[in-house]
Amino acid sequence: MKSTTQRASLLGDIVRVLTGNIVAMAAVLILNIILSRSLGPGGYGVFNGLLVVAMISGALVQMGIHRSAVVHLGRKDYPTGAVLGSVATLWMMASIMAIIASIVTYCILQNNAYTVAMILLVITGIPFAIGVIYLSGCYLGLDRVKQANRIYYTAPLINVVLTLLLVVWLRLEVIGALIATLISSITVFSITTYRLRKEFYFNFSFDRGLLKSLVKLGLVYAFTFILLQLNYKVDILFLQKMVGSEEVGFYTLAVSVSEQLWLLPYAAGLVLMSRTANSSSTEAAVRPVGPLLRWGFLISVIGSIAIVYLAPILVPMIFGKDFSGSIEVVKAIIPGIVAFVVFRILESNLAGLGKPWLAVYALLPSLLINVGLNLWLIPQFGILGSAWATNVSYIVATMVYLGIYVRFTKVSIGYLLLPKKSDLDELKESFRRGIVRFSKK
Protein backbone atom coordinates (compact mmCIF):
# COMPACT_ATOMS: atom_id res chain seq x y z
CA MET A 1 0.00 0.00 0.00
CA LYS A 2 2.81 2.34 0.90
CA SER A 3 4.59 1.58 -2.38
CA THR A 4 1.43 2.32 -4.37
CA THR A 5 0.92 5.60 -2.53
CA GLN A 6 4.53 6.61 -3.15
CA ARG A 7 4.20 5.80 -6.86
CA ALA A 8 0.99 7.82 -7.05
CA SER A 9 2.67 10.72 -5.29
CA LEU A 10 5.66 10.47 -7.63
CA LEU A 11 3.41 10.43 -10.68
CA GLY A 12 1.41 13.33 -9.26
CA ASP A 13 4.58 15.43 -8.92
CA ILE A 14 5.63 14.46 -12.44
CA VAL A 15 2.22 15.49 -13.81
CA ARG A 16 2.48 18.85 -12.00
CA VAL A 17 5.99 19.43 -13.33
CA LEU A 18 4.95 18.30 -16.80
CA THR A 19 2.02 20.75 -16.70
CA GLY A 20 4.43 23.50 -15.74
CA ASN A 21 6.74 22.42 -18.54
CA ILE A 22 3.90 22.57 -21.03
CA VAL A 23 3.09 26.09 -19.88
CA ALA A 24 6.79 26.97 -20.20
CA MET A 25 6.94 25.27 -23.61
CA ALA A 26 3.93 27.26 -24.82
CA ALA A 27 5.52 30.47 -23.54
CA VAL A 28 8.88 29.64 -25.17
CA LEU A 29 7.11 28.68 -28.40
CA ILE A 30 5.24 31.99 -28.45
CA LEU A 31 8.50 33.76 -27.63
CA ASN A 32 10.30 32.01 -30.50
CA ILE A 33 7.47 32.88 -32.89
CA ILE A 34 7.58 36.54 -31.86
CA LEU A 35 11.37 36.76 -32.08
CA SER A 36 11.73 34.79 -35.32
CA ARG A 37 9.09 36.89 -37.07
CA SER A 38 10.25 40.20 -35.58
CA LEU A 39 14.03 39.73 -35.86
CA GLY A 40 14.28 37.52 -38.94
CA PRO A 41 16.84 34.70 -39.29
CA GLY A 42 19.83 37.05 -38.96
CA GLY A 43 18.65 38.87 -35.84
CA TYR A 44 17.37 35.63 -34.32
CA GLY A 45 20.80 34.07 -34.85
CA VAL A 46 22.53 37.05 -33.21
CA PHE A 47 20.19 36.91 -30.19
CA ASN A 48 20.76 33.20 -29.63
CA GLY A 49 24.48 33.48 -30.26
CA LEU A 50 24.79 36.12 -27.54
CA LEU A 51 22.88 34.02 -25.02
CA VAL A 52 24.78 30.82 -25.82
CA VAL A 53 28.04 32.48 -24.77
CA ALA A 54 26.56 33.46 -21.39
CA MET A 55 24.99 30.04 -20.92
CA ILE A 56 28.23 28.17 -21.54
CA SER A 57 30.25 30.62 -19.43
CA GLY A 58 27.75 30.18 -16.62
CA ALA A 59 27.92 26.41 -16.94
CA LEU A 60 31.71 26.53 -16.68
CA VAL A 61 31.74 28.33 -13.33
CA GLN A 62 28.53 27.28 -11.56
CA MET A 63 30.51 24.59 -9.70
CA GLY A 64 27.48 22.28 -9.77
CA ILE A 65 26.17 23.91 -6.61
CA HIS A 66 22.49 23.64 -7.59
CA ARG A 67 22.76 19.84 -7.68
CA SER A 68 25.08 19.67 -4.70
CA ALA A 69 22.49 21.69 -2.76
CA VAL A 70 19.83 19.10 -3.64
CA VAL A 71 21.90 16.31 -2.08
CA HIS A 72 23.01 18.31 0.99
CA LEU A 73 19.51 19.54 1.79
CA GLY A 74 17.99 16.13 1.06
CA ARG A 75 20.40 14.27 3.33
CA LYS A 76 19.96 16.85 6.11
CA ASP A 77 23.56 16.49 7.28
CA TYR A 78 23.70 20.27 7.95
CA PRO A 79 21.13 22.84 9.19
CA THR A 80 18.95 24.15 6.37
CA GLY A 81 19.80 27.81 7.02
CA ALA A 82 23.53 27.06 6.98
CA VAL A 83 23.29 25.26 3.63
CA LEU A 84 21.23 28.06 2.08
CA GLY A 85 23.67 30.70 3.35
CA SER A 86 26.63 28.82 1.92
CA VAL A 87 24.84 28.44 -1.41
CA ALA A 88 24.31 32.24 -1.44
CA THR A 89 28.03 32.80 -0.92
CA LEU A 90 28.94 30.44 -3.73
CA TRP A 91 26.35 32.10 -5.98
CA MET A 92 28.13 35.45 -5.57
CA MET A 93 31.49 33.88 -6.47
CA ALA A 94 30.09 32.03 -9.48
CA SER A 95 28.41 35.17 -10.83
CA ILE A 96 31.66 37.14 -10.81
CA MET A 97 33.56 34.34 -12.56
CA ALA A 98 30.81 33.86 -15.18
CA ILE A 99 30.82 37.56 -16.06
CA ILE A 100 34.60 37.52 -16.55
CA ALA A 101 34.43 34.31 -18.65
CA SER A 102 31.70 35.77 -20.86
CA ILE A 103 33.61 38.99 -21.51
CA VAL A 104 36.71 37.01 -22.48
CA THR A 105 34.66 34.80 -24.82
CA TYR A 106 33.03 37.77 -26.56
CA CYS A 107 36.49 39.29 -27.07
CA ILE A 108 37.73 36.05 -28.63
CA LEU A 109 34.71 35.71 -30.94
CA GLN A 110 34.96 39.35 -32.13
CA ASN A 111 31.56 39.15 -33.79
CA ASN A 112 30.79 42.53 -35.37
CA ALA A 113 27.06 41.90 -34.95
CA TYR A 114 27.46 42.06 -31.15
CA THR A 115 27.32 45.66 -29.92
CA VAL A 116 28.61 46.83 -26.55
CA ALA A 117 25.05 47.49 -25.37
CA MET A 118 24.01 43.93 -26.26
CA ILE A 119 26.95 42.42 -24.42
CA LEU A 120 26.33 44.59 -21.34
CA LEU A 121 22.71 43.47 -21.18
CA VAL A 122 23.69 39.81 -21.38
CA ILE A 123 26.40 39.96 -18.70
CA THR A 124 24.16 42.00 -16.38
CA GLY A 125 21.66 39.16 -16.42
CA ILE A 126 24.20 36.44 -15.64
CA PRO A 127 24.02 36.67 -11.79
CA PHE A 128 20.22 36.50 -11.84
CA ALA A 129 20.17 33.58 -14.28
CA ILE A 130 22.63 31.62 -12.12
CA GLY A 131 20.69 32.59 -9.00
CA VAL A 132 17.46 31.19 -10.42
CA ILE A 133 19.22 27.87 -11.10
CA TYR A 134 20.62 27.73 -7.56
CA LEU A 135 17.23 28.57 -6.04
CA SER A 136 15.59 25.77 -8.01
CA GLY A 137 18.17 23.33 -6.63
CA CYS A 138 17.47 24.52 -3.08
CA TYR A 139 13.74 23.91 -3.44
CA LEU A 140 14.32 20.45 -4.91
CA GLY A 141 16.59 19.58 -1.98
CA LEU A 142 13.80 20.66 0.36
CA ASP A 143 11.45 18.36 -1.60
CA ARG A 144 9.42 21.40 -2.68
CA VAL A 145 8.90 20.28 -6.27
CA LYS A 146 5.95 22.63 -6.78
CA GLN A 147 8.00 25.72 -5.91
CA ALA A 148 10.95 24.57 -8.02
CA ASN A 149 8.60 24.00 -10.93
CA ARG A 150 7.06 27.46 -10.54
CA ILE A 151 10.50 29.00 -11.06
CA TYR A 152 10.82 27.15 -14.35
CA TYR A 153 7.68 28.45 -16.04
CA THR A 154 7.35 31.94 -14.53
CA ALA A 155 10.33 33.50 -16.31
CA PRO A 156 9.18 32.55 -19.85
CA LEU A 157 5.69 33.92 -19.17
CA ILE A 158 7.10 37.26 -18.03
CA ASN A 159 9.49 37.23 -20.97
CA VAL A 160 6.65 36.84 -23.48
CA VAL A 161 4.79 39.86 -22.12
CA LEU A 162 7.91 42.04 -22.10
CA THR A 163 8.96 40.88 -25.57
CA LEU A 164 5.57 41.86 -26.98
CA LEU A 165 6.03 45.31 -25.42
CA LEU A 166 9.68 45.92 -26.27
CA VAL A 167 10.20 44.04 -29.54
CA VAL A 168 6.80 44.12 -31.25
CA TRP A 169 5.36 47.43 -30.02
CA LEU A 170 8.47 49.55 -29.37
CA ARG A 171 10.50 47.79 -32.12
CA LEU A 172 13.72 47.62 -30.11
CA GLU A 173 14.75 44.45 -31.99
CA VAL A 174 17.62 42.43 -30.44
CA ILE A 175 18.16 45.02 -27.70
CA GLY A 176 14.50 44.75 -26.71
CA ALA A 177 14.67 40.95 -26.62
CA LEU A 178 17.72 41.09 -24.35
CA ILE A 179 16.07 43.61 -22.02
CA ALA A 180 13.01 41.37 -21.75
CA THR A 181 15.21 38.39 -20.88
CA LEU A 182 17.07 40.42 -18.26
CA ILE A 183 13.96 41.80 -16.53
CA SER A 184 12.27 38.39 -16.42
CA SER A 185 15.35 36.86 -14.71
CA ILE A 186 15.59 39.71 -12.20
CA THR A 187 11.88 39.43 -11.34
CA VAL A 188 11.88 35.67 -10.75
CA PHE A 189 15.14 35.80 -8.79
CA SER A 190 13.98 38.62 -6.52
CA ILE A 191 10.57 37.16 -5.70
CA THR A 192 11.89 33.64 -5.12
CA THR A 193 14.75 34.82 -2.92
CA TYR A 194 12.35 36.89 -0.82
CA ARG A 195 10.03 33.91 -0.28
CA LEU A 196 12.84 31.51 0.57
CA ARG A 197 14.43 33.90 3.07
CA LYS A 198 11.05 34.55 4.65
CA GLU A 199 10.63 30.83 5.37
CA PHE A 200 14.26 29.92 6.09
CA TYR A 201 16.04 33.05 7.22
CA PHE A 202 19.66 33.01 6.00
CA ASN A 203 22.52 35.32 5.10
CA PHE A 204 25.83 34.83 3.33
CA SER A 205 27.64 32.09 5.23
CA PHE A 206 31.36 31.29 5.36
CA ASP A 207 31.39 27.93 7.12
CA ARG A 208 34.56 26.41 5.65
CA GLY A 209 33.55 22.83 6.26
CA LEU A 210 30.16 23.23 4.64
CA LEU A 211 31.51 25.30 1.76
CA LYS A 212 34.17 22.67 1.13
CA SER A 213 31.57 19.88 1.20
CA LEU A 214 29.28 21.73 -1.22
CA VAL A 215 32.09 22.57 -3.60
CA LYS A 216 33.72 19.12 -3.45
CA LEU A 217 30.55 17.35 -4.56
CA GLY A 218 29.48 20.29 -6.69
CA LEU A 219 32.66 20.29 -8.79
CA VAL A 220 31.92 16.75 -9.90
CA TYR A 221 28.39 17.79 -10.80
CA ALA A 222 29.85 20.87 -12.49
CA PHE A 223 32.21 18.87 -14.67
CA THR A 224 29.30 16.65 -15.68
CA PHE A 225 27.08 19.69 -16.29
CA ILE A 226 29.78 21.38 -18.39
CA LEU A 227 30.17 18.29 -20.54
CA LEU A 228 26.40 18.13 -20.91
CA GLN A 229 26.06 21.79 -21.89
CA LEU A 230 28.97 21.56 -24.30
CA ASN A 231 27.31 18.55 -25.91
CA TYR A 232 24.16 20.67 -26.22
CA LYS A 233 25.77 23.90 -27.42
CA VAL A 234 29.21 23.27 -28.91
CA ASP A 235 27.63 22.81 -32.34
CA ILE A 236 26.24 26.36 -32.21
CA LEU A 237 29.66 27.75 -31.27
CA PHE A 238 31.22 26.05 -34.30
CA LEU A 239 28.38 27.18 -36.56
CA GLN A 240 28.87 30.81 -35.46
CA LYS A 241 32.41 30.68 -36.82
CA MET A 242 31.79 28.49 -39.88
CA VAL A 243 28.40 29.56 -41.32
CA GLY A 244 26.32 32.76 -41.47
CA SER A 245 23.94 34.13 -38.82
CA GLU A 246 20.94 33.12 -40.93
CA GLU A 247 21.93 29.46 -40.91
CA VAL A 248 22.61 29.67 -37.17
CA GLY A 249 19.04 30.95 -36.86
CA PHE A 250 17.73 27.96 -38.84
CA TYR A 251 19.69 25.55 -36.70
CA THR A 252 18.81 27.01 -33.29
CA LEU A 253 15.12 27.04 -34.18
CA ALA A 254 15.26 23.40 -35.33
CA VAL A 255 16.96 22.35 -32.09
CA SER A 256 14.41 24.29 -30.04
CA VAL A 257 11.53 22.53 -31.80
CA SER A 258 13.10 19.06 -31.52
CA GLU A 259 13.99 19.42 -27.84
CA GLN A 260 10.31 19.73 -26.93
CA LEU A 261 10.50 15.94 -26.85
CA TRP A 262 12.47 16.35 -23.61
CA LEU A 263 9.51 17.85 -21.75
CA LEU A 264 8.41 14.58 -20.14
CA PRO A 265 11.95 13.31 -19.41
CA TYR A 266 12.79 16.68 -17.86
CA ALA A 267 9.73 16.52 -15.62
CA ALA A 268 10.47 12.92 -14.64
CA GLY A 269 14.14 13.66 -14.03
CA LEU A 270 13.43 16.73 -11.91
CA VAL A 271 11.08 14.85 -9.59
CA LEU A 272 13.23 11.72 -9.64
CA MET A 273 16.35 13.57 -8.51
CA SER A 274 14.49 15.29 -5.67
CA ARG A 275 12.94 12.01 -4.49
CA THR A 276 16.20 10.11 -4.88
CA ALA A 277 18.09 12.62 -2.74
CA ASN A 278 15.45 12.17 -0.03
CA SER A 279 15.22 8.34 -0.34
CA SER A 280 16.10 6.03 2.54
CA SER A 281 18.03 3.53 0.40
CA THR A 282 19.45 2.90 -3.07
CA GLU A 283 16.87 0.19 -3.70
CA ALA A 284 14.01 2.59 -2.93
CA ALA A 285 15.56 5.22 -5.18
CA VAL A 286 15.98 2.88 -8.16
CA ARG A 287 12.57 1.17 -7.93
CA PRO A 288 10.49 3.74 -9.91
CA VAL A 289 13.06 4.25 -12.69
CA GLY A 290 11.95 1.35 -14.90
CA PRO A 291 8.31 2.45 -15.38
CA LEU A 292 9.32 6.09 -15.81
CA LEU A 293 11.92 5.23 -18.44
CA ARG A 294 9.65 2.89 -20.37
CA TRP A 295 6.80 5.39 -20.56
CA GLY A 296 9.11 8.33 -21.20
CA PHE A 297 10.87 6.62 -24.09
CA LEU A 298 7.63 5.37 -25.67
CA ILE A 299 6.00 8.79 -25.53
CA SER A 300 9.13 10.39 -26.98
CA VAL A 301 9.15 7.97 -29.93
CA ILE A 302 5.49 8.73 -30.66
CA GLY A 303 6.16 12.46 -30.33
CA SER A 304 9.17 12.26 -32.67
CA ILE A 305 7.07 10.65 -35.42
CA ALA A 306 4.52 13.45 -35.06
CA ILE A 307 7.23 16.13 -35.25
CA VAL A 308 8.83 14.63 -38.38
CA TYR A 309 5.50 14.56 -40.24
CA LEU A 310 4.19 17.89 -38.99
CA ALA A 311 7.38 20.00 -39.18
CA PRO A 312 7.03 20.79 -42.94
CA ILE A 313 3.56 22.18 -42.27
CA LEU A 314 3.92 23.81 -38.86
CA VAL A 315 7.38 25.43 -39.09
CA PRO A 316 6.49 27.77 -42.02
CA MET A 317 2.98 28.30 -40.63
CA ILE A 318 4.14 29.24 -37.13
CA PHE A 319 7.57 30.80 -37.63
CA GLY A 320 7.22 32.05 -41.20
CA LYS A 321 8.44 30.84 -44.60
CA ASP A 322 11.83 32.45 -43.96
CA PHE A 323 12.52 29.57 -41.52
CA SER A 324 11.78 26.75 -43.96
CA GLY A 325 15.51 26.00 -43.82
CA SER A 326 14.94 24.59 -40.33
CA ILE A 327 12.70 21.73 -41.52
CA GLU A 328 15.40 19.34 -42.73
CA VAL A 329 17.45 19.98 -39.59
CA VAL A 330 14.45 19.03 -37.41
CA LYS A 331 14.13 15.74 -39.28
CA ALA A 332 17.86 15.06 -39.14
CA ILE A 333 18.38 15.66 -35.41
CA ILE A 334 15.36 13.70 -34.10
CA PRO A 335 17.07 10.28 -33.63
CA GLY A 336 19.67 11.66 -31.24
CA ILE A 337 17.09 13.68 -29.32
CA VAL A 338 14.95 10.57 -28.77
CA ALA A 339 17.90 8.39 -27.74
CA PHE A 340 19.06 10.99 -25.21
CA VAL A 341 15.74 10.65 -23.36
CA VAL A 342 17.13 7.45 -21.83
CA PHE A 343 20.30 9.22 -20.67
CA ARG A 344 18.44 12.12 -19.08
CA ILE A 345 16.18 9.96 -16.92
CA LEU A 346 18.92 7.55 -15.80
CA GLU A 347 21.38 10.38 -15.07
CA SER A 348 18.84 12.17 -12.86
CA ASN A 349 18.50 9.05 -10.74
CA LEU A 350 22.23 8.49 -10.16
CA ALA A 351 22.81 12.23 -9.69
CA GLY A 352 20.27 12.19 -6.87
CA LEU A 353 22.20 9.31 -5.30
CA GLY A 354 25.30 11.53 -5.26
CA LYS A 355 27.03 9.64 -8.12
CA PRO A 356 27.48 12.38 -10.75
CA TRP A 357 30.93 11.24 -11.85
CA LEU A 358 29.48 8.16 -13.56
CA ALA A 359 28.07 10.40 -16.30
CA VAL A 360 31.56 11.64 -17.17
CA TYR A 361 32.43 8.23 -18.64
CA ALA A 362 29.62 8.71 -21.17
CA LEU A 363 29.73 12.46 -21.78
CA LEU A 364 33.47 12.94 -22.32
CA PRO A 365 33.82 10.56 -25.28
CA SER A 366 30.50 11.86 -26.58
CA LEU A 367 31.81 15.45 -26.53
CA LEU A 368 35.03 14.50 -28.29
CA ILE A 369 33.01 12.75 -30.99
CA ASN A 370 30.71 15.78 -31.25
CA VAL A 371 33.64 18.19 -31.72
CA GLY A 372 35.45 15.98 -34.21
CA LEU A 373 32.37 15.32 -36.34
CA ASN A 374 31.35 19.00 -36.33
CA LEU A 375 34.78 20.03 -37.59
CA TRP A 376 34.58 17.36 -40.28
CA LEU A 377 30.95 17.61 -41.36
CA ILE A 378 30.10 21.34 -41.15
CA PRO A 379 32.49 22.38 -43.98
CA GLN A 380 30.95 19.69 -46.22
CA PHE A 381 27.27 19.71 -45.24
CA GLY A 382 26.69 22.90 -43.24
CA ILE A 383 24.00 22.81 -40.55
CA LEU A 384 22.85 19.32 -41.59
CA GLY A 385 26.35 18.05 -40.86
CA SER A 386 26.15 19.54 -37.39
CA ALA A 387 22.81 17.78 -36.81
CA TRP A 388 24.33 14.43 -37.82
CA ALA A 389 27.26 15.03 -35.45
CA THR A 390 24.80 15.68 -32.62
CA ASN A 391 22.94 12.46 -33.40
CA VAL A 392 26.04 10.30 -33.18
CA SER A 393 27.30 11.92 -29.96
CA TYR A 394 23.90 11.64 -28.20
CA ILE A 395 23.47 7.99 -29.16
CA VAL A 396 27.00 7.10 -28.02
CA ALA A 397 26.46 8.84 -24.66
CA THR A 398 23.16 7.02 -24.13
CA MET A 399 24.53 3.56 -24.94
CA VAL A 400 27.57 3.99 -22.69
CA TYR A 401 25.54 5.36 -19.78
CA LEU A 402 22.91 2.63 -20.07
CA GLY A 403 25.69 0.09 -19.58
CA ILE A 404 27.07 2.02 -16.60
CA TYR A 405 23.63 2.28 -14.97
CA VAL A 406 22.91 -1.43 -15.37
CA ARG A 407 26.28 -2.34 -13.86
CA PHE A 408 25.92 0.04 -10.90
CA THR A 409 22.29 -0.70 -9.97
CA LYS A 410 22.29 -4.43 -10.87
CA VAL A 411 19.02 -4.07 -12.81
CA SER A 412 18.59 -5.55 -16.28
CA ILE A 413 18.25 -3.67 -19.56
CA GLY A 414 14.99 -5.55 -20.08
CA TYR A 415 13.58 -4.18 -16.82
CA LEU A 416 14.46 -0.66 -17.92
CA LEU A 417 13.24 -0.77 -21.52
CA LEU A 418 10.78 -3.63 -22.13
CA PRO A 419 7.08 -2.72 -21.57
CA LYS A 420 5.20 -4.60 -18.84
CA LYS A 421 1.51 -5.16 -18.18
CA SER A 422 1.94 -3.59 -14.74
CA ASP A 423 2.84 -0.27 -16.42
CA LEU A 424 -0.63 -0.03 -17.94
CA ASP A 425 -2.30 -1.15 -14.71
CA GLU A 426 -0.47 1.54 -12.71
CA LEU A 427 -1.32 4.17 -15.30
CA LYS A 428 -5.02 3.27 -15.10
CA GLU A 429 -4.89 3.41 -11.31
CA SER A 430 -3.17 6.80 -11.36
CA PHE A 431 -5.80 8.20 -13.73
CA ARG A 432 -8.55 6.81 -11.52
CA ARG A 433 -7.01 8.50 -8.46
CA GLY A 434 -6.63 11.72 -10.40
CA ILE A 435 -10.29 11.69 -11.47
CA VAL A 436 -11.37 11.03 -7.87
CA ARG A 437 -9.28 13.94 -6.56
CA PHE A 438 -10.55 16.23 -9.32
CA SER A 439 -14.22 15.33 -8.62
CA LYS A 440 -13.70 16.06 -4.90
CA LYS A 441 -12.41 19.52 -5.75
Side-chain angles (χ1 to χ4, degrees), residues 288-366:
V289 175
L292 288 180
L293 183 57
R294 294 191 292 271
W295 277 110
F297 186 69
L298 176 62
I299 292 171
S300 297
V301 170
I302 295 171
S304 70
I305 295 171
I307 287 177
V308 167
Y309 278 99
L310 294 176
I313 300 171
L314 295 181
V315 169
M317 181 188 300
I318 296 173
F319 300 101
K321 292 182 179 179
D322 288 344
F323 280 88
S324 295
S326 299
I327 296 171
E328 292 305 314
V329 181
V330 170
K331 294 180 179 179
I333 207 170
I334 282 291
I337 297 290
V338 173
F340 213 60
V341 166
V342 175
F343 174 91
R344 293 195 63 156
I345 292 177
L346 296 181
E347 192 274 335
S348 296
N349 187 229
L350 293 187
L353 286 171
K355 309 292 182 184
W357 59 84
L358 293 174
V360 174
Y361 297 110
L363 292 175
L364 187 56
S366 169

Side-chain angles (χ1 to χ4, degrees), residues 208-344:
R208 288 188 179 183
L210 180 51
L211 287 171
K212 182 179 179 181
S213 181
L214 280 164
V215 172
K216 185 178 179 180
L217 180 60
L219 286 175
V220 184
Y221 281 115
F223 186 52
T224 304
F225 184 70
I226 289 167
L227 291 177
L228 192 61
Q229 289 300 310
L230 286 174
N231 267 289
Y232 290 160
K233 304 298 182 183
V234 73
D235 45 2
I236 298 176
L237 289 179
F238 281 121
L239 288 171
Q240 285 187 78
K241 297 295 289 184
M242 301 171 77
V243 301
S245 293
E246 184 174 89
E247 288 185 279
V248 175
F250 292 152
Y251 189 84
T252 52
L253 180 67
V255 171
S256 177
V257 170
S258 303
E259 287 182 352
Q260 301 312 310
L261 289 172
W262 287 346
L263 275 175
L264 179 59
Y266 176 84
L270 194 71
V271 176
L272 192 59
M273 184 176 181
S274 177
R275 290 298 179 87
T276 300
N278 287 274
S279 292
S280 57
S281 66
T282 300
E283 182 183 357
V286 171
R287 191 179 301 121
V289 175
L292 288 180
L293 183 57
R294 294 191 292 271
W295 277 110
F297 186 69
L298 176 62
I299 292 171
S300 297
V301 170
I302 295 171
S304 70
I305 295 171
I307 287 177
V308 167
Y309 278 99
L310 294 176
I313 300 171
L314 295 181
V315 169
M317 181 188 300
I318 296 173
F319 300 101
K321 292 182 179 179
D322 288 344
F323 280 88
S324 295
S326 299
I327 296 171
E328 292 305 314
V329 181
V330 170
K331 294 180 179 179
I333 207 170
I334 282 291
I337 297 290
V338 173
F340 213 60
V341 166
V342 175
F343 174 91
R344 293 195 63 156

Side-chain angles (χ1 to χ4, degrees), residues 152-167:
Y152 180 70
Y153 65 75
T154 303
L157 289 174
I158 297 172
N159 205 345
V160 167
V161 175
L162 292 173
T163 299
L164 285 170
L165 173 65
L166 298 172
V167 178

Side-chain angles (χ1 to χ4, degrees), residues 53 57 96-109 119-120 123 126:
V53 170
S57 298
I96 294 171
M97 291 188 290
I99 289 172
I100 294 172
S102 295
I103 292 172
V104 171
T105 305
Y106 287 127
C107 291
I108 293 172
L109 287 175
I119 293 173
L120 285 175
I123 64 175
I126 286 174

Side-chain angles (χ1 to χ4, degrees), residues 163-216:
T163 299
L164 285 170
L165 173 65
L166 298 172
V167 178
V168 177
W169 188 35
L170 296 180
R171 300 185 183 279
L172 295 180
E173 299 183 336
V174 175
I175 290 289
L178 293 174
I179 293 173
T181 302
L182 172 61
I183 295 176
S184 61
S185 294
I186 292 174
T187 303
V188 173
F189 173 81
S190 301
I191 294 173
T192 308
T193 301
Y194 170 77
R195 288 177 174 172
L196 191 63
R197 290 189 78 242
K198 187 177 180 181
E199 185 174 0
F200 304 98
Y201 182 77
F202 62 92
N203 280 316
F204 291 104
S205 174
F206 298 91
D207 183 327
R208 288 188 179 183
L210 180 51
L211 287 171
K212 182 179 179 181
S213 181
L214 280 164
V215 172
K216 185 178 179 180

